[in-house]
Amino acid sequence: MKRLLILSIILILTISAKAQSFMFYRGEQPLDDNAEFTVTDYQEYMKLGDITVLSLESELRLKNITDNDVQATVTQTIVENPTDFVSGSLSFCFNSCYTGNVNRTLTGTISANSFSVGYHADFYVYEGISNRIKVKYTAYILDGLAKTNLKTVTVTYAYENHIPVTDVTLDRTTASLTVGNTLQLTAAVAPDNATDKNVTWTSSDPGTASVDESGNVTALAAGTAVITVTTEDGNKTATCTLTVYDDNSTELAETNINPSFNVFQEGNQLKLNYSFDSNACQLEIYNLMGQKVAQHALASGTVTFSLPERLAKSVYICTVKNNKKTITTLKFIVKY
């Protein structure tokens, strides 16, 4: 009895050691045993009313590499369920074809030194609905209860519905900073459900202002820099023109010290002295975030203009424009 058991074990080992009967191919490329790959390419398969069905084809082929016809057993085993059962379905063929996200076992004959004409494995999905499934395919010969000549390949089918980026905007297009201060820019990528909303940030003059990967801008030296955000998908861009000033702001005088053009403070009242001979002058006051906080038309002549707004304690930039052309700029600090 012991000798018979030993002979049986030797026989099983001998059968297992024989040359394999099968080989999986992907197209014309032979695959190693236990190979794995991912299918992302797809093509239109058919229309179902308003629904377009796409086919992700594994291109798997099964070949009998022996000189004899073999009776093969093939299986489809789901390793990871589809992310959407309704909009995705496996197709598995071995002489007969079946669809559905279930495990299957099929049998049939493969001619000597030939590919199985009826072997096919795909995944059908609905266009516009992302889906993913992982499947293991196996081929073997069933010898009694033993599975011999076992070959396995694992395929992941992954369909991503790509929604392209159409635009990108910034929360501001102009801004001002003093050296050493920072500004957080925020980009909005459209549409909201775009597949890839990643962006990159650059500065036209990193010596004047730097920007990090999150859109945080740091003022480094006086000058002007254009901060640009670019989408990875579609290369859409938006810009913010940043003006950087030296930190040499002038505190407001208590009285009028320069009648030609100056801003001064009387109590809580901000006043502007100027002398212009144009009726097209416009006063604009900005905070250091680049937000306009006051705007007024200035009459011609030598005038003391009282600002009706009460500005909070901070640093401001006062600009006078004539027909939209800047003719003078003054930076000042408001203290109460």
Side-chain angles (χ1 to χ4, degrees):
M1 176 62 91
K2 184 176 180 181
R3 183 176 181 183
L4 180 59
L5 179 60
I6 293 173
L7 288 174
S8 298
I9 294 173
I10 293 173
L11 179 61
I12 292 173
L13 292 175
T14 301
I15 292 172
S16 300
K18 287 182 180 179
Q20 293 291 320
S21 298
F22 307 112
M23 179 169 285
F24 277 109
Y25 281 70
R26 187 181 186 191
E28 300 299 322
Q29 180 66 40
L31 300 174
D32 295 333
D33 191 22
N34 297 314
E36 294 193 27
F37 62 88
T38 299
V39 178
T40 56
D41 293 336
Y42 56 85
Q43 58 187 7
E44 184 175 321
Y45 177 67
M46 64 183 299
K47 294 278 191 180
L48 292 175
D50 295 333
I51 299 173
T52 299
V53 180
L54 307 176
S55 174
L56 282 75
E57 300 183 359
S58 67
E59 300 182 87
L60 274 181
R61 304 169 72 196
L62 182 61
K63 185 177 184 180
N64 173 7
I65 57 175
T66 72
D67 295 329
N68 302 303
D69 297 349
V70 294
Q71 182 74 11
T73 299
V74 296
T75 64
Q76 167 186 276
T77 305
I78 297 175
V79 179
E80 294 178 6
N81 287 325
T83 51
D84 191 308
F85 272 93
V86 176
S87 66
S89 180
L90 290 167
S91 174
F92 185 51
C93 302
F94 188 51
N95 299 325
S96 298
C97 289
Y98 300 87
T99 58
N101 300 321
V102 296
N103 298 334
R104 296 192 187 278
T105 300
L106 306 174
T107 59
T109 301
I110 306 178
S111 300
N113 295 304
S114 300
F115 285 99
S116 171
V117 177
Y119 189 84
H120 204 63
D122 302 325
F123 185 49
Y124 297 131
V125 298
Y126 290 176
E127 185 178 45
I129 304 177
S130 297
N131 217 331
R132 182 184 182 91
I133 192 171
K134 188 173 185 178
V135 185
K136 181 171 70 175
Y137 298 102
T138 304
Y140 58 86
I141 294 175
L142 194 59
D143 186 3
L145 297 178
K147 298 176 182 179
T148 64
N149 299 273
L150 193 71
K151 280 288 184 179
T152 297
V153 62
T154 301
V155 180
T156 299
Y157 301 92
Y159 168 64
E160 296 294 335
N161 178 35
H162 181 76
I163 300 175
V165 170
T166 58
D167 193 20
V168 62
T169 56
L170 287 173
D171 56 339
R172 62 190 65 213
T173 57
T174 60
S176 301
L177 288 176
T178 54
V179 172
N181 287 334
T182 62
L183 169 68
Q184 178 64 58
L185 292 176
T186 302
V189 176
D192 288 339
N193 61 340
T195 302
D196 181 0
K197 299 177 75 172
N198 292 325
V199 297
T200 57
W201 298 86
T202 56
S203 170
S204 65
D205 187 353
T208 296
S210 64
V211 59
D212 66 17
E213 60 184 12
S214 299
N216 187 49
V217 180
T218 301
L220 301 174
T224 300
V226 177
I227 307 301
T228 301
V229 62
T230 305
T231 64
E232 291 186 3
D233 179 19
N235 290 317
K236 307 296 183 181
T237 61
T239 60
C240 174
T241 301
L242 177 71
T243 302
V244 179
Y245 296 92
D246 285 325
D247 190 16
N248 58 358
S249 304
T250 303
E251 294 189 17
L252 294 184
E254 295 296 332
T255 59
N256 176 7
I257 60 173
N258 185 353
S260 61
F261 177 74
N262 78 295
V263 180
F264 62 98
Q265 188 173 337
E266 288 183 352
N268 291 335
Q269 179 72 61
L270 247 62
K271 294 186 177 183
L272 170 70
N273 262 344
Y274 67 87
S275 180
F276 301 129
D277 59 2
S278 170
N279 283 316
C281 288
Q282 184 93 357
L283 169 68
E284 296 177 356
I285 298 178
Y286 296 86
N287 62 24
L288 289 182
M289 300 300 288
Q291 298 167 324
K292 187 186 294 184
V293 296
Q295 178 176 309
H296 299 281
L298 299 178
S300 64
T302 301
V303 179
T304 297
F305 175 79
S306 296
L307 190 71
E309 293 87 356
R310 187 178 188 277
L311 301 182
K313 288 191 288 186
S314 186
V315 179
Y316 296 91
I317 298 167
C318 174
T319 298
V320 177
K321 296 181 179 180
N322 184 32
N323 291 319
K324 298 184 179 180
K325 181 179 179 180
T326 300
I327 57 175
T328 187
T329 298
L330 177 67
K331 186 169 59 171
F332 60 90
I333 298 174
V334 174
K335 291 185 177 182
Y336 293 112

